[in-house]
Amino acid sequence: MPDQNLKLATRLIHAGVAPDPSTGAIMTPIFQTSTYVQTAPGEHKGYEYARTQNPTRAALQSALANIENGKYGLCFGSGMAATDAVAKLLQPGDEVIVSNDLYGGTYRIFTKIFANYGIVFHFIDMQDAGNIANYVNEKTKMIWVETPTNPLLNIIDIEAAAEISKAHHLLLVVDNTFASPYLQNPLDWGADIVLHSATKYLGGHSDVVHGVLIVNDAALEERLRFIQNSCGAVPGPQDCFLVLRGIKTLHVRMQRHCENGRKIAEWLRQHPKVGKVLWCGFEDHPNHAIARKQMRDFGGMISFTLKDDNINAALEVLKKTELFSLAESLGGVESLIGHPATMTHASIPQEDRIARGLSDSLIRLSVGIEDADDLIADLAQAIG
Ligand SMILES: *Cc1c(COP(=O)(O)O)cnc(C)c1O
């Protein structure tokens, strides 16, 4: 098992996996079993029942902890199941401060599920992280940050959020799905819990739905593992295998996502029909300095508007792209195009969306790892 002093590229390939002791298989097998035979009651090899433990999941959990610079990894059946587990740390009356530009499903589970259990959520602009302190009171238990934000691609200062969180003994959760461990490691900046939808960059091939939590604190790990086992939203072993395979190429994929992202962002920016281009790698991006501080590169997520700023012009572009497939999700090897207002963020009421700067004409790209010139030609013919 490689230690955390090795470079990320090495850890991505070797962390968590050891040759299978019974066969020497270099890749961790898919342990498709629900239970494990005991030699006498309570005498077993560390595996009792597959909701609680599974060797394929155990390999993945340990790999994920390693690549996020954490101690413990916990896997779930989806990113939302991981979110659900974190929210179950809370009790009625507790308050959470949440970044206001975030994954639509997170907004939905907080406002439509956990609000019914008496938990109070404050959705606020965290581009100035100092703003978080204005919402802390004696009931506050958690700060929830998603950075880069979705779909406006702002950057939130994790270190500054962690200072406020620690000063008030709160839990800081960072949804690191958009950045992936290749671009940023929130635990290093003081986060308590890192969350991933492994459906996205970690899996990387648009063939699995999976969620992850990574923590450093043993007591917190125990509480989350209790929730994982009690509530049972665990992934199957084949899904764990797919994520385990996916992360082995995270570094080479991300390198290309970043290269292509830069080329396409720069190309879009000089296009006469394009309005605003939102990409944190631009030096004049309002949070570029924070991005430079906490991220190693700027990724392949780009949002833009059209100068003809209306929904129909945007829908025309979405209809015409051929290499960019119109689909929800992101982070796979293939390029996707989406319309947040009607797709990923449709569960946020229109007036809330507009107030947050998410205009009806905003288009979001998940730039894949195809040839950049082909991707640009596709956008050129679609934008016209
Ligand atoms: C997709 C996504 C989620 C939810 O993950 P699922 O795997 O779809 O359940 C959470 N956060 C972010 C930022 C996402 O993109």
Side-chain angles (χ1 to χ4, degrees):
M1 163 67 60
D3 63 37
Q4 290 182 335
N5 295 325
L6 290 168
K7 298 281 197 292
L8 180 67
T10 311
R11 290 190 273 137
L12 282 165
I13 289 165
H14 295 287
V17 281
D20 176 51
S22 61
T23 61
I26 193 164
M27 193 57 194
T28 307
I30 300 167
F31 283 90
Q32 193 76 51
T33 188
S34 63
T35 192
Y36 309 86
V37 177
Q38 310 194 0
T39 44
E43 236 175 67
H44 52 74
K45 298 180 162 72
Y47 295 93
E48 296 154 278
Y49 184 65
R51 175 170 18 81
T52 320
Q53 312 105 341
N54 176 283
T56 317
R57 172 158 42 111
L60 177 61
Q61 290 183 152
S62 127
L64 290 164
N66 186 303
I67 64 174
E68 263 299 7
N69 297 345
K71 288 203 180 112
Y72 308 101
L74 299 106
C75 293
F76 294 86
S78 67
M80 289 320 301
T83 299
D84 177 68
V86 174
K88 283 173 176 158
L89 294 167
L90 300 162
Q91 294 185 353
D94 287 351
E95 297 194 5
V96 185
I97 304 169
V98 191
S99 47
N100 66 356
D101 183 37
L102 83 167
Y103 182 65
T106 308
Y107 180 84
R108 181 176 55 200
I109 198 174
F110 288 168
T111 57
K112 297 282 191 341
I113 307 278
F114 284 100
N116 294 339
Y117 292 86
I119 297 161
V120 176
F121 297 91
H122 302 278
F123 296 91
I124 70 157
D125 185 348
M126 294 185 180
Q127 281 186 77
D128 170 8
N131 190 30
I132 298 170
N134 298 329
Y135 293 83
V136 176
N137 62 43
E138 68 283 356
K139 293 182 181 158
T140 311
K141 291 286 154 46
M142 188 178 279
I143 300 172
W144 191 287
V145 168
E146 191 176 311
T147 182
T149 69
N150 178 12
L152 298 177
L153 302 173
N154 294 312
I155 305 296
I156 295 166
D157 188 335
I158 301 170
E159 187 182 25
E163 262 170 44
I164 295 166
S165 180
K166 285 189 197 324
H168 299 278
H169 308 289
L170 313 176
L171 282 176
L172 174 63
V173 184
V174 176
D175 183 337
N176 204 26
T177 301
F178 268 41
S180 90
Y182 176 87
L183 292 181
Q184 96 191 348
N185 300 112
L187 295 175
D188 291 351
W189 298 103
D192 299 290
I193 302 176
V194 172
L195 182 146
H196 284 279
S197 165
T199 312
K200 317 296 168 55
Y201 286 107
L202 289 173
H205 296 75
S206 310
D207 54 10
V208 64
V209 171
H210 191 108
V212 181
L213 300 175
I214 299 122
V215 302
N216 267 325
D217 181 73
L220 184 57
E221 188 266 348
E222 201 181 316
R223 288 172 70 197
L224 289 167
R225 200 166 301 278
F226 184 81
I227 293 168
Q228 181 196 40
N229 185 46
S230 303
C231 301
V234 293
Q238 174 153 1
D239 289 352
C240 292
F241 176 89
L242 287 170
V243 177
L244 200 53
R245 183 173 68 166
I247 62 176
K248 286 175 189 288
T249 54
L250 181 71
H251 51 313
V252 284
R253 287 186 284 110
M254 287 307 294
Q255 229 163 25
R256 182 63 72 86
H257 282 298
C258 292
E259 267 172 43
N260 284 358
R262 173 175 294 282
K263 286 182 190 161
I264 287 171
E266 281 169 357
W267 178 82
L268 281 170
R269 186 131 100 153
Q270 54 72 50
H271 195 289
K273 289 193 180 166
V274 169
K276 266 195 270 180
V277 183
L278 311 178
W279 181 65
C280 66
F282 288 134
E283 284 188 8
D284 58 0
H285 181 285
N287 321 120
H288 181 69
I290 304 165
R292 249 185 203 293
K293 176 180 83 163
Q294 71 192 20
M295 297 169 74
R296 299 181 190 95
D297 204 338
F298 307 110
M301 295 302 298
I302 301 169
S303 293
F304 67 99
T305 59
L306 298 169
K307 286 219 176 99
D308 181 11
D309 190 15
N310 76 74
I311 192 163
N312 292 326
L315 293 179
E316 268 311 293
V317 173
L318 298 172
K319 241 189 257 167
K320 287 190 187 147
T321 58
E322 286 167 5
L323 287 176
F324 280 87
S325 302
L326 178 62
E328 301 204 1
S329 199
L330 61 117
V333 290
E334 57 284 279
S335 293
L336 300 182
I337 190 166
H339 185 239
T342 55
M343 295 168 70
T344 47
H345 290 66
S347 55
I348 302 178
Q350 189 194 30
E351 64 268 26
D352 285 15
R353 281 202 310 266
I354 304 284
R356 290 169 202 185
L358 197 172
S359 79
D360 276 350
S361 70
L362 190 83
I363 293 171
R364 192 187 79 179
L365 301 179
S366 170
V367 176
I369 66 171
E370 302 95 331
D371 184 274
D373 293 340
D374 289 340
L375 293 178
I376 286 173
D378 189 35
L379 290 172
Q381 63 80 21
I383 296 170

